[in-house]
C-alpha cells in the first residue's frame, strides 16, 4: 500500500513538473466569439512552448514558402521583438471606426490583439518569447527542407 | 547592559543596510532615463474614426539598424542627387545653426502660405494650403535632431537612427500637426505610454 502511494506521489510530481515546464513560456490564448446567432465560438488556451513544435506539423511546401517570405525581414522582426520585450506595457496601435475597434497591446511579456467588429470579437494573446522562437522556427524552415 | 548594547548595534546595522538598499534603489530610479514614446494620433470627426499609434523610441532605435530595404540601410537613408536639387543641405544647416532666431523664408501666394523659422533651438515650418480647404501643417524639429540627421560622413545620406536617438534625448516635443477640414493629425514625443 505504501509502495503504491509512493509511486502515485512520484507520478503526480512528474506530472506537475511536466506541466510546469510546459507552461514555463506562458500560454497562447485565442478567443473568437461570433455575434450572429449560432455564430463561431472558439476558445483555445495552449502552452506557448508547443507553438514552435506545432510549426513542424505544418505542410512542408507551405512552410518553405512562408520561410522564404519571412527570412529577409527576420533581422528587423527580431529587433522589434527584442525592443518590445525590453519596453514597458503600451497600447501600440488602436483603431476606432463606427462598429469596429482594433487594439494591439504589449502587456506583461505578451502581445495582445483585440478586434471587435459587427460580426465577431477576437482576442489573441501570445508571449513574445514564444512568438520569437516560433518565427525563428519558421524562418529556419527553408533550411531544413 | 552588554545585551542592550548588542541589540542596538544589531538594529543600527539593519537600519544601515535598509538605508543603503533604499539609496541604491532610489539612485537607480533616478539614473534610469524615462522611456520615450513616439505618438501618432489621427482624428477623423466626419466618420467618428481615430487611429492612435504609440511606439517606444528604444524599440524604433533597435529596428532601424536591422532594416535593410531599398534606400534604408543600417539606420541610414540614401538620398539621390535629384532629390536634393543641387542644394548643399549641410552648408544650409550650418548657416541656420549659427544664425540667431529669425524667420528665414516667407512665401505668400494664392495657393499657399509658407513660413520657415528658427526659434528656441527648433526649426519651425508652417504651411497653409489654401487650395485644400485651408489645411494647415506645422512642423517643429529640434535642431539637435536635424544635426543628428546630417551627422553621417556621406553627403548623400541621412542618419535616421542618430536622429531618433537625438529625439529620445530631447524633451517632450510636438513634432507635427496637420489640421484639415476632415482630419486632424498630431505626431509628438513624450514619456507617457498613453495618449490620454
Amino acid at each position: 500500500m505504501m509502495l503504491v502511494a509512493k509511486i502515485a506521489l512520484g507520478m503526480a510530481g512528474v506530472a506537475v513538473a511536466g506541466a510546469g515546464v510546459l507552461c514555463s513560456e506562458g500560454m497562447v490564448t485565442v478567443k473568437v466569439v461570433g455575434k450572429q446567432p449560432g455564430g463561431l465560438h472558439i476558445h483555445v488556451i495552449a502552452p506557448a512552448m508547443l507553438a514552435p513544435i506545432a510549426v513542424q506539423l505544418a505542410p512542408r511546401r507551405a512552410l518553405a514558402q512562408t520561410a522564404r517570405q519571412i527570412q529577409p525581414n527576420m533581422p528587423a522582426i527580431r529587433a522589434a521583438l527584442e525592443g518590445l520585450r525590453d519596453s514597458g506595457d503600451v497600447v501600440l496601435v488602436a483603431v476606432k471606426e463606427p462598429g469596429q475597434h482594433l487594439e494591439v497591446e504589449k502587456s506583461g511579456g505578451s502581445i495582445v490583439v483585440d478586434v471587435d467588429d459587427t460580426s465577431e470579437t477576437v482576442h489573441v494573446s501570445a508571449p513574445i518569447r514564444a512568438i520569437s522562437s516560433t518565427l525563428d522556427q519558421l524562418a529556419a524552415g527553408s533550411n531544413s527542407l | 547592559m552588554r545585551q542592550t548594547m548588542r541589540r542596538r548595534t544589531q538594529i543600527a546595522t539593519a537600519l544601515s543596510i535598509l538605508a543603503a538598499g533604499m539609496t541604491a534603489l532610489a539612485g537607480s530610479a533616478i539614473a534610469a532615463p524615462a522611456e520615450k514614446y513616439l505618438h501618432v494620433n489621427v482624428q477623423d470627426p466626419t466618420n467618428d474614426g481615430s487611429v492612435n499609434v504609440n511606439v517606444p523610441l528604444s524599440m524604433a532605435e533597435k529596428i532601424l539598424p536591422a532594416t535593410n530595404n531599398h534606400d534604408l540601410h543600417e539606420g541610414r537613408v540614401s538620398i539621390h542627387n535629384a532629390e536634393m536639387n543641387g542644394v548643399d543641405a549641410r552648408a544650409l544647416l550650418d548657416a541656420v545653426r549659427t544664425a540667431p532666431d529669425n524667420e528665414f523664408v516667407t512665401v505668400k501666394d494664392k495657393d499657399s502660405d509658407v513660413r520657415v523659422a528658427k526659434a528656441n533651438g527648433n526649426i519651425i515650418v508652417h504651411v497653409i494650403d489654401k487650395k485644400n480647404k485651408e489645411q494647415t501643417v506645422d512642423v517643429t524639429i529640434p535642431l539637435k535632431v536635424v544635426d543628428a540627421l546630417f551627422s553621417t560622413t556621406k553627403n548623400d545620406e541621412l542618419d535616421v537612427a542618430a536622429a531618433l536617438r537625438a529625439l529620445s534625448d530631447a524633451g517632450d516635443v510636438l513634432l507635427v500637426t496637420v489640421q484639415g477640414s476632415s482630419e486632424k493629425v498630431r505626431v509628438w514625443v513624450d514619456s507617457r505610454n498613453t495618449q490620454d
Side-chain angles (χ1 to χ4, degrees):
Chain A
M1 192 65 182
M2 197 65 175
L3 186 68
V4 175
K6 281 180 180 173
I7 291 169
L9 193 67
M11 286 173 72
V14 169
V16 169
V21 169
L22 208 59
C23 300
S24 61
E25 280 208 15
M27 307 296 273
V28 175
T29 308
V30 179
K31 191 175 180 182
V32 182
V33 180
K35 289 183 177 174
Q36 269 76 39
L40 200 62
H41 194 120
I42 301 168
H43 195 177
V44 179
I45 300 176
M49 196 178 247
L50 293 179
I53 300 165
V55 169
Q56 297 295 335
L57 304 175
R60 287 181 156 232
R61 185 180 289 181
L63 196 62
Q65 194 181 349
T66 309
R68 273 195 300 276
Q69 286 170 348
I70 205 172
Q71 255 179 355
N73 300 312
M74 274 312 287
I77 292 170
R78 280 197 196 101
L81 289 172
E82 191 191 325
L84 268 182
R85 210 163 34 208
D86 297 342
S87 72
D89 289 358
V90 59
V91 175
L92 295 162
V93 181
V95 181
K96 278 182 194 170
E97 278 179 23
Q100 288 184 329
H101 185 204
L102 161 78
E103 201 166 280
V104 182
E105 184 182 5
K106 191 245 170 174
S107 176
S110 296
I111 301 286
V112 182
V113 180
D114 281 296
V115 182
D116 186 359
D117 68 12
T118 48
S119 59
E120 58 202 4
T121 62
V122 179
H123 170 86
V124 179
S125 167
I128 295 170
R129 272 174 63 182
I131 296 171
S132 192
S133 46
T134 306
L135 288 172
D136 280 339
Q137 195 79 46
L138 267 175
S142 66
N143 298 336
S144 61
L145 296 174
Chain B
M1 181 70 178
R2 186 178 284 178
Q3 212 170 13
T4 314
M5 194 67 178
R6 190 180 293 166
R7 184 168 293 169
R8 280 182 183 166
T9 311
Q10 283 173 345
I11 291 169
T13 309
L15 282 173
S16 306
I17 292 168
L18 193 68
M22 286 177 74
T23 310
L25 270 175
S28 64
I30 291 165
E35 173 82 276
K36 287 285 182 72
Y37 294 87
L38 178 73
H39 304 278
V40 180
N41 178 280
V42 182
Q43 298 282 343
D44 185 358
T46 53
N47 73 350
D48 201 22
S50 70
V51 177
N52 299 337
V53 179
N54 308 295
V55 182
L57 277 180
S58 60
M59 186 179 100
E61 282 171 33
K62 283 179 181 164
I63 295 172
L64 265 178
T67 308
N68 290 303
N69 201 353
H70 302 296
D71 291 331
L72 180 63
H73 290 279
E74 295 167 355
R76 291 170 184 170
V77 178
S78 300
I79 302 169
H80 305 293
N81 278 335
E83 289 169 279
M84 297 295 282
N85 289 324
V87 176
D88 188 346
R90 281 164 206 271
L92 195 66
L93 176 65
D94 206 40
V96 170
R97 193 192 296 113
T98 50
D101 285 5
N102 198 0
E103 200 161 295
F104 295 110
V105 181
T106 309
V107 179
K108 285 193 177 196
D109 65 21
K110 63 178 174 53
D111 293 335
S112 62
D113 290 355
V114 180
R115 193 170 69 89
V116 181
K118 179 191 168 192
N120 303 318
N122 296 314
I123 290 184
I124 297 163
V125 181
H126 178 73
V127 181
I128 299 175
D129 185 356
K130 294 172 185 170
K131 271 200 306 188
N132 209 349
K133 293 181 181 173
E134 290 284 323
Q135 186 181 60
T136 62
V137 179
D138 285 285
V139 180
T140 305
I141 308 283
L143 260 173
K144 282 180 183 173
V145 175
V146 184
D147 282 341
L149 206 58
F150 287 95
S151 62
T152 63
T153 49
K154 291 182 180 174
N155 275 332
D156 60 345
E157 273 188 353
L158 291 178
D159 196 338
V160 184
L164 218 50
R165 281 193 295 275
L167 199 57
S168 192
D169 295 337
D172 297 356
V173 58
L174 178 60
L175 296 167
V176 181
T177 57
V178 180
Q179 178 81 61
S181 57
S182 63
E183 276 188 344
K184 189 178 173 186
V185 181
R186 282 194 313 142
V187 181
W188 74 102
V189 171
D190 66 19
S191 304
R192 294 155 58 101
N193 65 349
T194 62
Q195 298 193 3
D196 301 332

Short mmCIF file of all heavy atoms in Angstrom, two decimals, chain A residues 15-70:
data_model
loop_
_atom_site.label_atom_id
_atom_site.label_comp_id
_atom_site.label_asym_id
_atom_site.label_seq_id
_atom_site.Cartn_x
_atom_site.Cartn_y
_atom_site.Cartn_z
N ALA A 15 4.06 14.73 -13.19
CA ALA A 15 3.00 15.42 -13.95
C ALA A 15 3.03 16.92 -13.67
O ALA A 15 2.96 17.74 -14.60
CB ALA A 15 1.63 14.83 -13.60
N VAL A 16 3.18 17.27 -12.39
CA VAL A 16 3.21 18.70 -12.01
C VAL A 16 4.44 19.37 -12.61
O VAL A 16 4.37 20.47 -13.18
CB VAL A 16 3.18 18.86 -10.47
CG1 VAL A 16 3.49 20.30 -10.07
CG2 VAL A 16 1.83 18.43 -9.92
N ALA A 17 5.60 18.66 -12.49
CA ALA A 17 6.84 19.24 -13.04
C ALA A 17 6.73 19.39 -14.56
O ALA A 17 7.12 20.42 -15.12
CB ALA A 17 8.02 18.34 -12.69
N GLY A 18 6.14 18.38 -15.22
CA GLY A 18 5.96 18.43 -16.67
C GLY A 18 5.07 19.59 -17.07
O GLY A 18 5.39 20.35 -18.00
N ALA A 19 3.96 19.74 -16.32
CA ALA A 19 3.04 20.85 -16.61
C ALA A 19 3.74 22.18 -16.39
O ALA A 19 3.57 23.14 -17.17
CB ALA A 19 1.81 20.74 -15.72
N GLY A 20 4.56 22.22 -15.34
CA GLY A 20 5.32 23.46 -15.03
C GLY A 20 6.25 23.82 -16.18
O GLY A 20 6.31 24.97 -16.62
N VAL A 21 6.98 22.83 -16.67
CA VAL A 21 7.92 23.07 -17.78
C VAL A 21 7.16 23.49 -19.03
O VAL A 21 7.53 24.45 -19.72
CB VAL A 21 8.76 21.79 -18.07
CG1 VAL A 21 9.52 21.93 -19.38
CG2 VAL A 21 9.71 21.52 -16.92
N LEU A 22 6.04 22.79 -19.29
CA LEU A 22 5.23 23.06 -20.48
C LEU A 22 4.68 24.50 -20.47
O LEU A 22 4.57 25.16 -21.51
CB LEU A 22 4.06 22.06 -20.53
CG LEU A 22 3.50 21.71 -21.90
CD1 LEU A 22 4.58 21.11 -22.78
CD2 LEU A 22 2.34 20.72 -21.76
N CYS A 23 4.33 24.96 -19.26
CA CYS A 23 3.72 26.30 -19.15
C CYS A 23 4.76 27.39 -18.86
O CYS A 23 4.39 28.55 -18.68
CB CYS A 23 2.65 26.32 -18.06
SG CYS A 23 1.32 25.15 -18.40
N SER A 24 6.04 27.00 -18.82
CA SER A 24 7.06 27.97 -18.39
C SER A 24 7.17 29.16 -19.34
O SER A 24 7.59 30.24 -18.95
CB SER A 24 8.41 27.28 -18.25
OG SER A 24 8.79 26.76 -19.51
N GLU A 25 6.83 28.96 -20.61
CA GLU A 25 6.91 30.09 -21.57
C GLU A 25 5.59 30.85 -21.65
O GLU A 25 5.42 31.69 -22.52
CB GLU A 25 7.31 29.58 -22.95
CG GLU A 25 8.80 29.34 -23.06
CD GLU A 25 9.34 29.48 -24.46
OE1 GLU A 25 8.63 30.03 -25.32
OE2 GLU A 25 10.46 29.05 -24.69
N GLY A 26 4.65 30.52 -20.78
CA GLY A 26 3.35 31.18 -20.79
C GLY A 26 2.35 30.45 -21.67
O GLY A 26 2.64 29.38 -22.19
N MET A 27 1.19 31.07 -21.83
CA MET A 27 0.11 30.43 -22.59
C MET A 27 -0.29 31.29 -23.78
O MET A 27 -0.25 32.51 -23.71
CB MET A 27 -1.12 30.24 -21.69
CG MET A 27 -0.84 29.52 -20.38
SD MET A 27 -0.31 27.83 -20.62
CE MET A 27 -1.86 26.99 -20.70
N VAL A 28 -0.67 30.63 -24.85
CA VAL A 28 -1.26 31.33 -26.00
C VAL A 28 -2.77 31.22 -25.87
O VAL A 28 -3.30 30.13 -25.64
CB VAL A 28 -0.80 30.70 -27.33
CG1 VAL A 28 -1.52 31.35 -28.51
CG2 VAL A 28 0.71 30.82 -27.49
N THR A 29 -3.44 32.36 -25.97
CA THR A 29 -4.90 32.36 -25.85
C THR A 29 -5.52 32.87 -27.15
O THR A 29 -5.11 33.92 -27.65
CB THR A 29 -5.36 33.28 -24.69
OG1 THR A 29 -4.65 32.91 -23.52
CG2 THR A 29 -6.85 33.16 -24.43
N VAL A 30 -6.46 32.13 -27.67
CA VAL A 30 -7.22 32.58 -28.84
C VAL A 30 -8.70 32.45 -28.51
O VAL A 30 -9.16 31.37 -28.10
CB VAL A 30 -6.90 31.73 -30.10
CG1 VAL A 30 -7.73 32.21 -31.29
CG2 VAL A 30 -5.42 31.78 -30.43
N LYS A 31 -9.41 33.56 -28.65
CA LYS A 31 -10.85 33.52 -28.37
C LYS A 31 -11.59 34.24 -29.48
O LYS A 31 -11.33 35.42 -29.75
CB LYS A 31 -11.13 34.18 -27.02
CG LYS A 31 -12.53 33.95 -26.51
CD LYS A 31 -12.70 34.53 -25.11
CE LYS A 31 -14.09 34.29 -24.62
NZ LYS A 31 -14.32 34.87 -23.30
N VAL A 32 -12.45 33.53 -30.16
CA VAL A 32 -13.26 34.12 -31.23
C VAL A 32 -14.73 33.88 -30.89
O VAL A 32 -15.13 32.74 -30.66
CB VAL A 32 -12.94 33.49 -32.60
CG1 VAL A 32 -13.76 34.16 -33.70
CG2 VAL A 32 -11.45 33.58 -32.91
N VAL A 33 -15.48 34.96 -30.81
CA VAL A 33 -16.91 34.83 -30.50
C VAL A 33 -17.72 35.55 -31.57
O VAL A 33 -17.60 36.78 -31.72
CB VAL A 33 -17.24 35.42 -29.11
CG1 VAL A 33 -18.72 35.28 -28.80
CG2 VAL A 33 -16.41 34.75 -28.03
N GLY A 34 -18.49 34.79 -32.32
CA GLY A 34 -19.36 35.37 -33.34
C GLY A 34 -20.56 36.06 -32.71
O GLY A 34 -21.01 35.67 -31.64
N LYS A 35 -21.00 37.12 -33.37
CA LYS A 35 -22.13 37.87 -32.79
C LYS A 35 -23.47 37.44 -33.37
O LYS A 35 -24.51 37.79 -32.83
CB LYS A 35 -21.91 39.37 -33.01
CG LYS A 35 -20.78 39.92 -32.14
CD LYS A 35 -20.62 41.41 -32.32
CE LYS A 35 -19.53 41.92 -31.39
NZ LYS A 35 -19.21 43.33 -31.61
N GLN A 36 -23.41 36.71 -34.50
CA GLN A 36 -24.66 36.23 -35.09
C GLN A 36 -25.14 35.00 -34.30
O GLN A 36 -24.32 34.29 -33.72
CB GLN A 36 -24.47 35.84 -36.56
CG GLN A 36 -24.72 36.97 -37.54
CD GLN A 36 -23.57 37.97 -37.58
OE1 GLN A 36 -22.43 37.57 -37.52
NE2 GLN A 36 -23.87 39.25 -37.66
N PRO A 37 -26.45 34.78 -34.31
CA PRO A 37 -26.96 33.59 -33.64
C PRO A 37 -26.35 32.33 -34.28
O PRO A 37 -26.32 32.22 -35.50
CB PRO A 37 -28.47 33.64 -33.88
CG PRO A 37 -28.77 35.03 -34.32
CD PRO A 37 -27.52 35.60 -34.90
N GLY A 38 -25.85 31.43 -33.45
CA GLY A 38 -25.21 30.22 -33.96
C GLY A 38 -23.86 30.47 -34.59
O GLY A 38 -23.34 29.63 -35.32
N GLY A 39 -23.31 31.64 -34.32
CA GLY A 39 -22.01 32.01 -34.91
C GLY A 39 -20.86 31.24 -34.28
O GLY A 39 -21.02 30.47 -33.34
N LEU A 40 -19.67 31.54 -34.83
CA LEU A 40 -18.45 30.85 -34.41
C LEU A 40 -18.16 31.11 -32.92
O LEU A 40 -18.37 32.21 -32.41
CB LEU A 40 -17.30 31.42 -35.25
CG LEU A 40 -16.03 30.62 -35.39
CD1 LEU A 40 -16.31 29.29 -36.07
CD2 LEU A 40 -15.02 31.42 -36.21
N HIS A 41 -17.70 30.08 -32.24
CA HIS A 41 -17.26 30.27 -30.86
C HIS A 41 -16.04 29.38 -30.63
O HIS A 41 -16.16 28.18 -30.52
CB HIS A 41 -18.39 29.90 -29.88
CG HIS A 41 -18.11 30.39 -28.50
ND1 HIS A 41 -18.93 31.28 -27.84
CD2 HIS A 41 -17.08 30.15 -27.67
CE1 HIS A 41 -18.41 31.55 -26.65
NE2 HIS A 41 -17.29 30.88 -26.52
N ILE A 42 -14.87 30.00 -30.60
CA ILE A 42 -13.63 29.25 -30.40
C ILE A 42 -12.92 29.80 -29.17
O ILE A 42 -12.82 31.02 -29.01
CB ILE A 42 -12.69 29.40 -31.62
CG1 ILE A 42 -13.37 28.89 -32.89
CG2 ILE A 42 -11.37 28.65 -31.40
CD1 ILE A 42 -12.62 29.25 -34.16
N HIS A 43 -12.46 28.93 -28.32
CA HIS A 43 -11.67 29.37 -27.17
C HIS A 43 -10.55 28.35 -26.97
O HIS A 43 -10.79 27.21 -26.59
CB HIS A 43 -12.56 29.47 -25.92
CG HIS A 43 -11.89 30.24 -24.83
ND1 HIS A 43 -12.48 30.54 -23.63
CD2 HIS A 43 -10.67 30.80 -24.76
CE1 HIS A 43 -11.64 31.23 -22.88
NE2 HIS A 43 -10.54 31.40 -23.54
N VAL A 44 -9.33 28.77 -27.26
CA VAL A 44 -8.18 27.86 -27.14
C VAL A 44 -7.16 28.47 -26.18
O VAL A 44 -6.80 29.64 -26.32
CB VAL A 44 -7.51 27.63 -28.52
CG1 VAL A 44 -6.30 26.71 -28.39
CG2 VAL A 44 -8.50 27.06 -29.52
N ILE A 45 -6.75 27.70 -25.21
CA ILE A 45 -5.64 28.12 -24.34
C ILE A 45 -4.61 26.99 -24.44
O ILE A 45 -4.90 25.84 -24.09
CB ILE A 45 -6.08 28.32 -22.89
CG1 ILE A 45 -7.15 29.39 -22.80
CG2 ILE A 45 -4.88 28.72 -22.02
CD1 ILE A 45 -7.72 29.59 -21.41
N ALA A 46 -3.43 27.31 -24.94
CA ALA A 46 -2.42 26.26 -25.12
C ALA A 46 -1.07 26.75 -24.62
O ALA A 46 -0.78 27.95 -24.69
CB ALA A 46 -2.32 25.90 -26.60
N PRO A 47 -0.25 25.84 -24.12
CA PRO A 47 1.10 26.26 -23.69
C PRO A 47 1.89 26.82 -24.87
O PRO A 47 1.92 26.21 -25.94
CB PRO A 47 1.73 24.96 -23.18
CG PRO A 47 0.61 24.03 -22.94
CD PRO A 47 -0.46 24.41 -23.91
N ALA A 48 2.49 27.99 -24.65
CA ALA A 48 3.23 28.66 -25.74
C ALA A 48 4.40 27.82 -26.22
O ALA A 48 4.82 27.92 -27.37
CB ALA A 48 3.73 30.01 -25.25
N MET A 49 4.91 26.95 -25.36
CA MET A 49 6.05 26.12 -25.72
C MET A 49 5.72 25.18 -26.89
O MET A 49 6.61 24.75 -27.62
CB MET A 49 6.47 25.30 -24.51
CG MET A 49 7.84 24.69 -24.63
SD MET A 49 8.26 23.81 -23.15
CE MET A 49 9.57 24.85 -22.56
N LEU A 50 4.42 24.92 -27.05
CA LEU A 50 4.01 23.99 -28.12
C LEU A 50 4.02 24.66 -29.50
O LEU A 50 4.04 23.97 -30.52
CB LEU A 50 2.61 23.44 -27.84
CG LEU A 50 2.47 22.52 -26.62
CD1 LEU A 50 1.03 22.06 -26.47
CD2 LEU A 50 3.39 21.31 -26.75
N ALA A 51 3.98 26.01 -29.53
CA ALA A 51 3.87 26.71 -30.82
C ALA A 51 5.01 26.38 -31.78
O ALA A 51 4.75 26.02 -32.94
CB ALA A 51 3.76 28.21 -30.58
N PRO A 52 6.29 26.47 -31.35
CA PRO A 52 7.37 26.12 -32.29
C PRO A 52 7.29 24.66 -32.74
O PRO A 52 7.66 24.34 -33.87
CB PRO A 52 8.65 26.36 -31.48
CG PRO A 52 8.26 27.22 -30.35
CD PRO A 52 6.83 26.90 -30.05
N ILE A 53 6.80 23.80 -31.85
CA ILE A 53 6.68 22.38 -32.20
C ILE A 53 5.56 22.21 -33.24
O ILE A 53 5.70 21.45 -34.19
CB ILE A 53 6.39 21.52 -30.94
CG1 ILE A 53 7.55 21.69 -29.96
CG2 ILE A 53 6.17 20.06 -31.28
CD1 ILE A 53 7.26 21.22 -28.55
N ALA A 54 4.48 22.98 -33.06
CA ALA A 54 3.35 22.89 -33.98
C ALA A 54 3.75 23.30 -35.40
O ALA A 54 3.20 22.81 -36.38
CB ALA A 54 2.21 23.77 -33.49
N VAL A 55 4.74 24.22 -35.49
CA VAL A 55 5.22 24.66 -36.81
C VAL A 55 5.71 23.46 -37.62
O VAL A 55 5.52 23.39 -38.85
CB VAL A 55 6.35 25.71 -36.64
CG1 VAL A 55 7.06 25.98 -37.96
CG2 VAL A 55 5.79 27.00 -36.09
N GLN A 56 6.33 22.53 -36.93
CA GLN A 56 6.88 21.34 -37.61
C GLN A 56 5.78 20.50 -38.25
O GLN A 56 6.06 19.71 -39.15
CB GLN A 56 7.65 20.48 -36.60
CG GLN A 56 8.87 21.17 -36.01
CD GLN A 56 9.93 21.46 -37.05
OE1 GLN A 56 10.00 20.80 -38.08
NE2 GLN A 56 10.75 22.48 -36.80
N LEU A 57 4.55 20.65 -37.75
CA LEU A 57 3.45 19.84 -38.27
C LEU A 57 2.80 20.47 -39.50
O LEU A 57 1.96 19.85 -40.15
CB LEU A 57 2.38 19.64 -37.18
CG LEU A 57 2.89 19.01 -35.87
CD1 LEU A 57 1.79 18.97 -34.84
CD2 LEU A 57 3.42 17.61 -36.12
N ALA A 58 3.19 21.72 -39.81
CA ALA A 58 2.60 22.40 -40.98
C ALA A 58 3.08 21.71 -42.27
O ALA A 58 4.16 21.12 -42.30
CB ALA A 58 3.03 23.85 -40.99
N PRO A 59 2.25 21.79 -43.34
CA PRO A 59 2.67 21.19 -44.62
C PRO A 59 4.01 21.78 -45.07
O PRO A 59 4.21 22.99 -44.98
CB PRO A 59 1.54 21.59 -45.58
CG PRO A 59 0.38 21.89 -44.71
CD PRO A 59 0.92 22.38 -43.42
N ARG A 60 4.89 20.91 -45.56
CA ARG A 60 6.26 21.33 -45.87
C ARG A 60 6.33 22.43 -46.91
O ARG A 60 7.14 23.36 -46.80
CB ARG A 60 7.08 20.13 -46.33
CG ARG A 60 7.41 19.21 -45.19
CD ARG A 60 8.23 18.03 -45.60
NE ARG A 60 8.96 17.54 -44.46
CZ ARG A 60 10.28 17.33 -44.44
NH1 ARG A 60 10.99 17.57 -45.51
NH2 ARG A 60 10.88 16.87 -43.37
N ARG A 61 5.48 22.32 -47.94
CA ARG A 61 5.52 23.32 -49.02
C ARG A 61 5.13 24.70 -48.48
O ARG A 61 5.79 25.70 -48.76
CB ARG A 61 4.59 22.90 -50.16
CG ARG A 61 4.70 23.83 -51.36
CD ARG A 61 3.80 23.42 -52.48
NE ARG A 61 4.25 22.20 -53.14
CZ ARG A 61 3.63 21.63 -54.17
NH1 ARG A 61 2.53 22.16 -54.64
NH2 ARG A 61 4.10 20.55 -54.73
N ALA A 62 4.07 24.71 -47.68
CA ALA A 62 3.60 25.98 -47.11
C ALA A 62 4.67 26.56 -46.18
O ALA A 62 4.91 27.78 -46.15
CB ALA A 62 2.30 25.75 -46.34
N LEU A 63 5.31 25.68 -45.44
CA LEU A 63 6.36 26.10 -44.51
C LEU A 63 7.54 26.73 -45.25
O LEU A 63 8.04 27.80 -44.86
CB LEU A 63 6.84 24.88 -43.71
CG LEU A 63 7.63 25.15 -42.44
CD1 LEU A 63 6.81 25.92 -41.43
CD2 LEU A 63 8.11 23.83 -41.83
N ALA A 64 7.92 26.10 -46.34
CA ALA A 64 9.05 26.61 -47.14
C ALA A 64 8.73 27.97 -47.75
O ALA A 64 9.55 28.88 -47.74
CB ALA A 64 9.40 25.62 -48.23
N GLN A 65 7.48 28.09 -48.24
CA GLN A 65 7.06 29.36 -48.84
C GLN A 65 7.05 30.48 -47.80
O GLN A 65 7.55 31.58 -48.05
CB GLN A 65 5.66 29.18 -49.44
CG GLN A 65 5.29 30.32 -50.37
CD GLN A 65 3.89 30.16 -50.95
OE1 GLN A 65 3.27 29.11 -50.81
NE2 GLN A 65 3.40 31.19 -51.58
N THR A 66 6.50 30.17 -46.63
CA THR A 66 6.46 31.16 -45.55
C THR A 66 7.87 31.54 -45.13
O THR A 66 8.17 32.72 -44.89
CB THR A 66 5.69 30.59 -44.32
OG1 THR A 66 4.44 30.09 -44.77
CG2 THR A 66 5.48 31.65 -43.26
N ALA A 67 8.74 30.54 -45.04
CA ALA A 67 10.12 30.79 -44.63
C ALA A 67 10.82 31.74 -45.61
O ALA A 67 11.52 32.66 -45.20
CB ALA A 67 10.88 29.47 -44.54
N ARG A 68 10.60 31.49 -46.91
CA ARG A 68 11.23 32.35 -47.92
C ARG A 68 10.75 33.79 -47.79
O ARG A 68 11.50 34.73 -47.96
CB ARG A 68 10.91 31.82 -49.33
CG ARG A 68 11.91 30.76 -49.81
CD ARG A 68 11.77 30.54 -51.30
NE ARG A 68 10.45 30.09 -51.68
CZ ARG A 68 10.06 28.81 -51.65
NH1 ARG A 68 10.89 27.88 -51.25
NH2 ARG A 68 8.84 28.46 -51.99
N GLN A 69 9.44 33.95 -47.48
CA GLN A 69 8.88 35.30 -47.37
C GLN A 69 9.39 36.01 -46.11
O GLN A 69 9.63 37.21 -46.11
CB GLN A 69 7.35 35.22 -47.33
CG GLN A 69 6.74 34.91 -48.68
CD GLN A 69 5.27 34.60 -48.58
OE1 GLN A 69 4.72 34.41 -47.50
NE2 GLN A 69 4.60 34.54 -49.73
N ILE A 70 9.54 35.25 -45.05
CA ILE A 70 9.83 35.86 -43.75
C ILE A 70 11.33 36.10 -43.54
O ILE A 70 11.72 37.04 -42.83
CB ILE A 70 9.23 34.97 -42.62
CG1 ILE A 70 8.96 35.82 -41.39
CG2 ILE A 70 10.12 33.81 -42.25
CD1 ILE A 70 8.21 35.08 -40.32
#
